[in-house]
Each structure stands twice: as C-alpha cells, then as structure tokens.
Amino acid sequence: MHGQVTGPVYALYYPILAAFGAPANILTIVILSRGRCGLSRCITRYLVGMAVTDLLVIITGVILNRISVIYFPVVFLSITPVCSLKIVLFYAARDSSVWLTVAFTFDRFVAICCQQLKAKHCTGRTAAMVIVTMCALSCLKNIPWYFVYEPLYIINDVPWYCNIKLSFYFELAWTVFDWIDRISNPGAPFLLMLLFNALTVRHILATSRARRRLRAHSKAEKQIDPEIESRRKSIVLLFTISGTFILLWMTYIVNFLYVRITNDYNISGFNDPKFILQESGNMLQLLSCCTNTCIYAVTQTKFREEFMKMLKSPVNLIIKVVKY
C-alpha cells in the first residue's frame, strides 16, 4: 500500500517537518515577493517559484500522504480515488520543485558563463515563462499515476487505500512510463545539476586566474575586486542550493539504483534494511523542501534583515496595542 509508514521515528519526523517547513516556505514567499532582498527580478521569481512548489510538496507529500496515513488511516483521504489524486498532486509538486531547481541552476550558469545569452535569458519574463512551463509539464506528466492504483479493500462498496496494480509491473506501456518517470526525476535533474555546476566551477576558476594575473600588474592589486565579490555572492547562493539538493537526494538515488539493478522489490517488514534505506531516502528528499529558507538566511544579509522584521512585527503590534 502506498505511503504505509509506521514507527515512532516517522510518526515524529513528519509532523515536525510540516510544522517547520510550511511556515518557513510561507515566510520565504512573503519576504521574497516584497522585492527588498537586493536580488534581481529573475532570481527572485525563481526563488519564489521554488518556495511555492516546496510548500506544495509539504502539503501534498508530508501532510496529505504521510501524516494522514500515520494518524488518520481511515478517513476520506484514504478512499481510493482521493488517495490516487493526492499521490498525483504530490508527484506533480515534487517534479515542479526539482525542475525549478534545475532551471535556477541553468539560469545562474548562463548568467556566469554565457555573457552573450545573459541579457536575453536572465530576465523576469523568461523566468516566469520557464516556471509556468515546468509546472504545467510536471502536472501533465504525472496524470497517468492516477490510473496505476486499485483498491486494497472494498468495504460496503467503498474502495479503500491505494495498491499498485499487477499490470504496472508487466505491461510494456507501464514499464515505458515508469522508466520515463524515473529518468525525468531523479535521473536527468541530478545529472544536469552536476553538469551545470561543474561547468560553472571551471569557468569561475579560469576567469579568476585571468583577473588575478591582470590585477597583479596594476596598482589595484590589494583592492577588493567588485566583480569577483559580486560573483562570489551569486556563486555561494547557487552552490548552497544545488549542493544541498544533491546531498539530500543522494540516498534516494542510491536506493533507486539498487532496486533497478537488483530488481529486488520485496520488503519483509519495517526493520528490513531495504525499507530503512527507502524511507531514509524519502525523509531526506522531503527535507530538501525545507532547507532553502535556511540557506537564504545564512547567505543573504538582506533576507535575514527582512526575516527579522517579519518576526518582530507581531511583537511590535502587541506592544503598541498594550501601550494604547
């Protein structure tokens, strides 16, 4: 049955994740949308889009597909059509989040390494078009998942829970769909992010060496290079976002490769190492939807300032009301 998770670790982990992740992403959306963080419109739109899709992953993946199963196993959400729909929504939100991270990585790669394309590609309008396109394609791509599941039980003519149909494992059409799904996420995004980051690092190292050689022959040798300083801030933001994504998805990738190579889908119980590896990958994958707020707070001074203002606003309001 899809999403059947038990045990004290999972029962505590997912509510904590939701309690932190949902407010953190909402605050991030509000702060970035106000446009006071000193970021370009292009970067801001990508970061807002990533925060929105991360919030949707928390709602659909953590709250509807995990917490509801652990604490409320026999509710409306467990009826098979509803269960299938919430799985589709989770996969669509997850794919949107992943591909927007890839799009942001590519956008920064173009901005840093491809100066001729920068003016045309790195704009707010292009960012908006990419975000809408990625989200629409993610929704369309995951519609077939609705038809993968059948009821686990039928009680009083009501179908309950989601059980994968046997035909999913044997029919060619479903096999092709499954491979396309796995390649599009996590296979291709993982490789593309590694590629763009590697090319960006190579370009940065080559450019930095060239600028240092030029400055070594000038009187500005000991002065701070504003170009390098500006680029450094952009690079820190890029590498922390994409690097954290890669690290948190690594366990999921390892489990995916292990299952595909060994073709071993059998899990004996909750103490089975294969189940532990699988759930650890799921837990870390969902955690990746809560890390960007922390990354912004660590790497962006203006974001921290706006964040503190947002936290102080309710306290200041209460003080004013009490004084009045």
Side-chain angles (χ1 to χ4, degrees):
M1 183 178 65
H2 183 91
Q4 184 65 39
V5 183
T6 61
V9 174
Y10 310 124
L12 289 173
Y13 177 80
Y14 290 115
I16 293 173
L17 188 64
F20 172 78
N25 280 300
I26 291 171
L27 272 175
T28 299
I29 293 167
V30 173
I31 291 172
L32 292 174
S33 297
R34 295 167 74 179
R36 299 175 183 175
C37 296
L39 300 171
S40 68
R41 182 176 296 182
C42 175
I43 294 177
T44 299
R45 286 188 174 177
Y46 276 118
L47 297 184
V48 170
M50 290 159 62
V52 170
T53 53
D54 285 348
L55 176 62
L56 292 176
V57 170
I58 294 294
I59 294 171
T60 58
V62 179
I63 297 174
L64 297 182
N65 274 295
R66 296 286 172 165
I67 294 175
S68 66
V69 170
I70 296 171
Y71 291 97
F72 311 103
V74 187
V75 294
F76 172 74
L77 292 173
S78 297
I79 297 175
T80 303
V82 180
C83 176
S84 299
L85 178 61
K86 67 181 185 179
I87 291 170
V88 172
L89 293 175
F90 165 55
Y91 284 161
R94 185 189 65 177
D95 285 3
S96 298
S97 174
V98 169
W99 279 101
L100 286 186
T101 306
V102 176
F104 173 73
T105 305
F106 177 73
D107 179 84
R108 293 300 85 201
F109 162 74
V110 171
I112 294 169
C113 305
C114 308
Q115 294 301 312
Q116 293 180 347
L117 292 175
K118 180 179 177 180
K120 293 183 178 180
H121 183 272
C122 302
T123 64
R125 182 178 180 182
T126 300
M129 291 176 60
V130 170
I131 291 168
V132 171
T133 302
M134 291 292 187
C135 292
L137 290 176
S138 295
C139 292
L140 290 173
K141 175 219 147 188
N142 287 288
I143 289 175
W145 281 111
Y146 184 84
F147 305 98
V148 169
Y149 299 95
E150 62 184 3
L152 186 64
Y153 306 109
I154 296 179
I155 303 173
N156 296 327
D157 294 327
V158 178
W160 288 93
Y161 306 116
C162 289
N163 191 48
I164 296 177
K165 298 175 181 178
L166 287 177
S167 60
F168 180 78
Y169 298 105
F170 302 110
E171 291 186 5
L172 178 61
W174 284 123
T175 302
V176 172
F177 168 73
D178 188 41
W179 272 105
I180 292 173
D181 178 71
R182 300 303 180 181
I183 291 171
S184 64
N185 186 22
F190 197 80
L191 293 176
L192 286 172
M193 292 185 72
L194 288 174
L195 174 64
F196 293 142
N197 282 328
L199 293 174
T200 303
V201 168
R202 188 181 70 173
H203 178 83
I204 290 166
L205 292 176
T207 305
S208 298
R209 283 195 297 266
R211 289 185 70 86
R212 278 196 297 268
R213 283 196 297 268
L214 288 173
R215 290 173 64 82
H217 300 288
S218 69
K219 295 181 180 180
E221 183 179 355
K222 295 183 180 179
Q223 295 178 1
I224 296 175
D225 188 340
E227 176 68 21
I228 291 179
E229 187 65 19
S230 174
R231 187 171 294 178
R232 184 188 67 81
K233 293 180 181 179
S234 180
I235 292 164
V236 168
L237 179 62
L238 167 65
F239 285 174
T240 48
I241 290 176
S242 57
T244 302
F245 172 87
I246 290 170
L247 287 174
L248 291 177
W249 274 76
M250 186 66 74
T251 305
Y252 184 91
I253 298 287
V254 169
N255 179 68
F256 163 71
L257 293 175
Y258 170 79
V259 171
R260 292 296 163 180
I261 292 171
T262 62
N263 203 29
D264 183 5
Y265 297 91
N266 295 320
I267 295 177
S268 59
F270 301 119
N271 294 322
D272 190 327
K274 289 179 290 185
F275 176 80
I276 295 172
L277 177 64
Q278 173 183 297
E279 277 305 311
S280 297
N282 291 332
M283 291 165 71
L284 292 173
Q285 171 212 135
L286 291 169
L287 177 62
S288 68
C289 295
C290 304
T291 56
N292 284 348
T293 301
C294 299
I295 290 170
Y296 306 150
V298 171
T299 61
Q300 302 295 308
T301 303
K302 291 186 178 180
F303 182 89
R304 284 198 302 273
E305 293 172 355
E306 291 297 316
F307 183 74
M308 293 307 298
K309 288 179 183 178
M310 290 285 292
L311 293 181
K312 291 178 181 177
S313 294
V315 177
N316 293 335
L317 180 60
I318 292 172
I319 292 172
K320 289 180 181 179
V321 170
V322 171
K323 285 183 178 180
Y324 178 77

